[in-house]
Amino acid sequence: MFLSRELLLPRRRPNQGAQALAGRLLRSSSSLSDPDDDPPFTRIPTRPPRAPSPPPKPKALAGKIMPDEPAHSDLPFDFRYSYSETDPAWRPIGFREPARFSPFGPGRLDRPWDGVAAARGGGGDGGGGGRSREEVLGEPLSEEEVADLVERYWHSDCSRQINLGKGGVTHNMLEDIHNHWKRAEAVRIKCLGVPTLDMDNICFHLEDKTGGKIIYRNINILILYRGRNYDPKQRPDIPLMLWKPLAPIYPRLVQHVAEGLTFEETKELRNRGLNSPPLTKLTRNGVYVNVVDKVREAFKTVEVVGLDCSHVGTSDCKKIGVKLRDLVPCIPILFKDEQIILWRGKVNQEHSASDQCTSRPQ
């Protein structure tokens, strides 16, 4: 006969101390909680509400949308979105946005915006702490100093680099250049896109608007030196553009009938340019340094030249046509199927266009 385990093992009596502790815990939990609450948990006592936080302090002047006083700059030129890709002689026939909307923000600049530029006042003396460009540049660099700077900044992995795109020398780029000049003697500028058609124009505006000097130029790579006596604490005040203004509306670039030709002659030249092989193929954001020389050389033997601008974009095609019209010079007669058709013009038109090109303002 087998007996169960419960009968063989002696029954343990509960400890009196443990029973008393359990009773106290049960009584304390029941006194702090409602009957509907779960007994193992106790309710957290409610705290009095906190006092309201003080109102935030007003932000600094730079964070305001409309500052108390507009910014002032003594730079001796009109503020534009792009200095190298626009000409003050070009007058628009319309605007895509109201001229009262300044890209510098409402009330943030003491120069009025006319839709194209913010004209400087009559009291500007050149900025830069009152020092002239010659004083900032100091004595010319020796060949050893130039070679040392070029060796430090011409590499493609240089950290002091600014990319110059289809906008050319823009207004906010001036601020970027001075920010690099705080910690470096020179800055490397890599140029791409439509502005590379006229590298002389880019170099002119970089030196004129920043006060620096181009010490190295190779195809589309530039090194801009700040000067021996450059002081970052005396840098000019350059108010930033908060957004890119919409481009104005200019007169039509390509006329239905070319000047000096009839409609049939214009149509025949356009068909000849479309059916002939293109002179060269342009890529998007490429380097177009040699395009002007190629077009000039081709016009010595042919009358019409075509350029293949596949994947370049309609806007860039028109900009390329405008620059070639002034630099070659020539007459754009067609933009179709991502191709640019250029006509060299007649002999008398060539001479007049060349005179106009040499006398055009920068």
Side-chain angles (χ1 to χ4, degrees):
M1 181 176 180
F2 297 96
L3 298 177
S4 63
R5 186 176 180 181
E6 296 177 355
L7 296 176
L8 294 177
L9 296 176
R11 181 175 297 179
R12 296 181 179 178
R13 295 181 180 181
N15 190 3
Q16 295 180 359
Q19 290 180 352
L21 179 61
R24 287 196 302 270
L25 293 175
L26 183 60
R27 286 193 299 271
S28 63
S29 63
S30 61
S31 62
L32 295 177
S33 60
D34 296 336
D36 298 334
D37 294 342
D38 193 4
F41 300 95
T42 59
R43 174 178 293 181
I44 300 176
T46 59
R47 297 179 179 178
R50 296 182 178 179
S53 58
K57 297 181 180 179
K59 296 182 178 180
L61 181 63
K64 293 184 179 180
I65 297 178
M66 293 187 63
D68 298 335
E69 295 182 0
H72 175 72
S73 179
D74 292 330
L75 291 175
F77 53 84
D78 299 345
F79 290 163
R80 298 173 173 270
Y81 171 74
S82 177
Y83 299 103
S84 62
E85 304 308 301
T86 57
D87 195 332
W90 302 341
R91 301 310 305 171
I93 60 177
F95 299 96
R96 293 183 172 89
E97 62 182 358
R100 66 179 182 274
F101 294 151
S102 173
F104 296 96
R108 299 178 66 91
L109 185 65
D110 60 352
R111 300 187 181 190
W113 178 260
D114 60 359
V116 179
R120 65 187 177 95
D125 59 350
R131 297 187 301 173
S132 63
R133 179 171 179 265
E134 290 73 15
E135 293 176 353
V136 175
L137 290 178
E139 298 180 1
L141 296 175
S142 62
E143 296 182 359
E144 292 78 9
E145 292 174 330
V146 172
D148 179 67
L149 290 173
V150 171
E151 181 63 27
R152 288 161 53 188
Y153 294 103
W154 79 275
H155 300 280
S156 59
D157 58 349
C158 177
S159 60
R160 303 299 175 184
Q161 174 175 310
I162 294 178
N163 295 325
L164 188 147
K166 61 181 180 181
V169 182
T170 59
H171 179 77
N172 288 355
M173 185 183 295
L174 307 182
E175 179 71 12
D176 296 337
I177 292 174
H178 284 283
N179 289 337
H180 280 289
W181 280 350
K182 283 183 180 179
R183 302 173 179 85
E185 297 182 74
V187 59
R188 182 179 188 265
I189 300 177
K190 182 179 181 181
C191 307
L192 296 173
V194 181
T196 57
L197 286 169
D198 191 1
M199 292 297 298
D200 294 336
N201 188 36
I202 294 177
C203 295
F204 168 77
H205 284 287
L206 284 176
E207 293 183 346
D208 180 66
K209 302 303 185 295
T210 63
K213 182 177 180 58
I214 301 292
I215 60 174
Y216 177 79
R217 173 178 171 180
N218 182 21
I219 308 177
N220 65 322
I221 303 299
L222 305 174
I223 295 181
L224 185 61
Y225 176 61
R226 66 182 185 179
R228 291 184 183 273
N229 303 324
Y230 179 83
D231 186 4
K233 297 181 180 179
Q234 298 182 4
R235 55 182 292 182
D237 296 330
I238 304 176
L240 295 179
M241 283 191 176
L242 304 183
W243 65 82
K244 177 182 177 181
L246 297 179
I249 302 174
Y250 291 98
R252 185 182 179 91
L253 176 61
V254 178
Q255 304 298 327
H256 293 288
V257 179
E259 184 179 358
L261 299 177
T262 62
F263 177 77
E264 296 297 332
E265 293 174 342
T266 305
K267 184 177 180 181
E268 193 272 335
L269 289 176
R270 290 171 178 169
N271 292 333
R272 192 194 309 175
L274 290 174
N275 297 329
S276 60
L279 176 64
T280 184
K281 182 176 181 180
L282 306 181
T283 58
R284 186 176 182 84
N285 291 331
V287 181
Y288 313 142
V289 176
N290 300 324
V291 174
V292 175
D293 294 335
K294 289 183 179 180
V295 174
R296 288 175 180 171
E297 191 67 22
F299 277 153
K300 295 180 180 180
T301 56
V302 296
E303 190 178 6
V304 180
V305 168
L307 302 177
D308 186 2
C309 300
S310 301
H311 312 294
V312 171
T314 305
S315 177
D316 287 357
C317 282
K318 292 182 179 180
K319 293 178 181 179
I320 292 173
V322 171
K323 281 188 169 292
L324 292 178
R325 179 194 63 182
D326 298 334
L327 295 174
V328 173
C330 59
I331 301 176
I333 58 176
L334 184 62
F335 293 91
K336 184 179 179 182
D337 298 334
E338 296 182 338
Q339 293 192 25
I340 303 176
I341 308 302
L342 304 173
W343 176 47
R344 67 181 180 184
K346 296 182 179 180
V347 178
N348 55 353
Q349 291 180 351
E350 291 180 2
H351 290 295
S352 62
S354 61
D355 296 340
Q356 182 181 2
C357 179
T358 55
S359 62
R360 67 184 180 92
Q362 292 290 341

